[in-house]
Amino acid sequence: MKKRRLGKSELYVTEMGLGAMSIGTDEKEALHIISAALDEGINYFDTADLYDYGMNERIVGKALKPYRDSVIIATKVGNKWNENKDAWSWDASKSYILSAVKDSLHRLGTDYIDLYQLHGGTMEDNHEEVVEAFEQLVKEGYIRYYGISSIRPNVIDSFARKSNIQTVMMQYSILDRRPEEWMTILKENNISMIARGPVAKGLLSEKMLEKASASVKEKGYLDYSFRELEDTLHKLREIFSTRSMNEIALQYILSHDVVGAVIPGASSVKQVKENAQAVRGERLTDEEVELIKSLTKLNKYEHHRI
């Protein structure tokens, strides 16, 4: 599998990483999924301290321990479970970040984290303090590089100007093209986008509308009514009839050079293999990319500017 460089870092990740949030808590099955990803040549694994109360980090760390020198592990910080573990709160303070990283390292069973990401954030956070914390962790060798996971343009703009972030993780798919609004600023600052949610909750998989939830059927998806969704997906399916929907979905994202990797989640070995095959598929031509753009909406982030 081809690799891309994340930002200005020395991290070269496979074009597809594994988003570990969906691997579940059945350790045996989760290890099968991670093993399948390794077999496909994937070297980039993304988790978070929030997922399954830290169990996700433990499983990922255990599975990757024999391969630690050849894989890139990314995790996230900022969301803190309460004592009852029935709700979490946001904490982007320097003291919390410096404390939480130790817990993540312990759960992952590693001495360092390749990419440590702020798991959200608003303009009310002290961004300078966040950057101080990350820079201190780099200096102390606990993390190699850092980034943010955010859909808030003002937050992205602030960190792009004030810090040495290498990545911004954003939900991005053919049906959610909002990140395209911010590709220029990422390119100008040599920051890579990590694309999560690339198959739009399964709507861009082979099952298409079979994966539509009751909410999507009633309210649509982002700016699309359900009828518009039906029309758009059927047009894509008709035009690209010789290729899988997964392939079109993932290749569209990878056609943008600011994207460092797509990280589809997987709850089965089959999904890992299907997505890996899609990433290895034929690249879209410039004409095909423009055709997809003409059939879809360029959503905007107007409701997420705080």
Side-chain angles (χ1 to χ4, degrees):
M1 190 176 289
K2 294 179 181 178
K3 294 180 180 178
R4 298 188 180 190
R5 184 181 186 181
L6 293 185
K8 304 176 289 292
S9 77
E10 293 305 310
L11 301 178
Y12 289 83
V13 301
T14 44
E15 290 185 322
M16 172 183 151
L18 178 67
M21 185 176 70
S22 302
I23 62 175
T25 55
D26 181 326
E27 186 172 318
K28 185 177 179 181
E29 179 59 25
L31 293 176
H32 281 316
I33 293 169
I34 294 171
S35 179
L38 291 166
D39 290 343
E40 293 291 341
I42 292 167
N43 77 341
Y44 177 39
F45 298 83
D46 180 86
T47 180
D49 57 5
L50 182 70
Y51 303 159
D52 299 316
Y53 316 109
M55 187 183 298
N56 198 268
E57 284 185 326
R58 291 185 189 279
I59 292 173
V60 169
K62 180 178 180 179
L64 297 179
K65 196 171 186 64
Y67 314 97
R68 185 65 188 96
D69 293 340
S70 58
V71 296
I72 291 166
I73 297 177
T75 192
K76 309 180 196 76
V77 65
N79 294 294
K80 182 165 57 175
W81 285 105
N82 64 12
E83 288 187 10
N84 294 330
K85 293 186 177 180
D86 56 7
W88 66 80
S89 57
W90 177 247
D91 191 341
S93 66
K94 182 176 180 180
S95 60
Y96 179 68
I97 293 171
L98 296 181
S99 170
V101 72
K102 307 288 180 61
D103 295 329
S104 284
L105 286 166
H106 177 71
R107 287 189 292 264
L108 288 164
T110 184
D111 296 328
Y112 66 95
I113 293 164
D114 296 289
L115 180 65
Y116 203 37
Q117 301 154 104
L118 187 67
H119 201 176
T122 72
M123 291 302 293
E124 295 177 1
D125 297 326
N126 186 329
H127 294 179
E128 288 81 3
E129 187 175 297
V130 172
V131 174
E132 282 179 14
F134 282 141
E135 289 290 347
Q136 181 176 326
L137 292 175
V138 170
K139 187 175 181 180
E140 293 175 349
Y142 291 115
I143 67 174
R144 295 176 67 192
Y145 302 98
Y146 61 94
I148 62 173
S149 175
S150 178
I151 60 169
R152 299 178 184 273
N154 283 355
V155 173
I156 294 167
D157 184 48
S158 174
F159 278 99
R161 288 184 291 103
K162 297 176 182 177
S163 75
N164 194 32
I165 60 170
Q166 304 298 327
T167 58
V168 175
M169 181 180 291
M170 307 175 82
Q171 178 174 299
Y172 182 34
S173 73
I174 287 174
L175 297 176
D176 185 358
R177 293 175 50 209
R178 291 176 295 179
E180 291 175 21
E181 180 184 357
W182 282 86
M183 286 185 172
T184 299
I185 191 171
L186 296 183
K187 282 186 178 181
E188 288 174 349
N189 290 277
N190 204 358
I191 296 167
S192 293
M193 182 188 300
I194 306 299
R196 63 177 177 85
V199 294
K201 297 183 178 178
L203 295 172
L204 293 167
S205 69
E206 285 305 290
K207 294 185 177 180
M208 295 198 299
L209 292 170
E210 289 179 35
K211 299 292 287 185
S213 65
S215 175
V216 168
K217 290 176 180 177
E218 179 185 351
K219 302 175 183 177
Y221 184 79
L222 293 176
D223 294 341
Y224 294 87
S225 68
F226 187 67
R227 180 168 292 182
E228 288 175 323
L229 200 57
E230 285 182 305
D231 183 54
T232 301
L233 292 175
H234 286 146
K235 283 180 180 177
L236 287 170
R237 176 72 287 171
E238 184 178 346
I239 292 169
F240 296 99
S241 60
T242 62
R243 304 172 70 173
S244 73
M245 285 296 287
N246 273 37
E247 185 174 322
I248 300 307
L250 299 182
Q251 291 297 341
Y252 175 78
I253 295 171
L254 291 170
S255 70
H256 299 85
D257 56 12
V258 72
V259 172
V262 292
I263 53 165
S267 56
S268 69
V269 168
K270 181 182 178 183
Q271 287 179 343
V272 173
K273 292 181 176 180
E274 287 175 349
N275 288 328
Q277 182 179 0
V279 168
R280 292 194 183 94
E282 185 179 349
R283 299 302 190 200
L284 294 174
T285 64
D286 291 344
E287 292 76 16
E288 288 172 328
V289 170
E290 292 305 314
L291 178 57
I292 290 171
K293 288 181 178 179
S294 73
L295 294 173
T296 56
K297 298 184 179 186
L298 180 57
N299 328 77
K300 294 288 186 177
Y301 272 118
E302 58 264 33
H303 300 303
H304 300 280
R305 293 195 174 276
I306 57 173

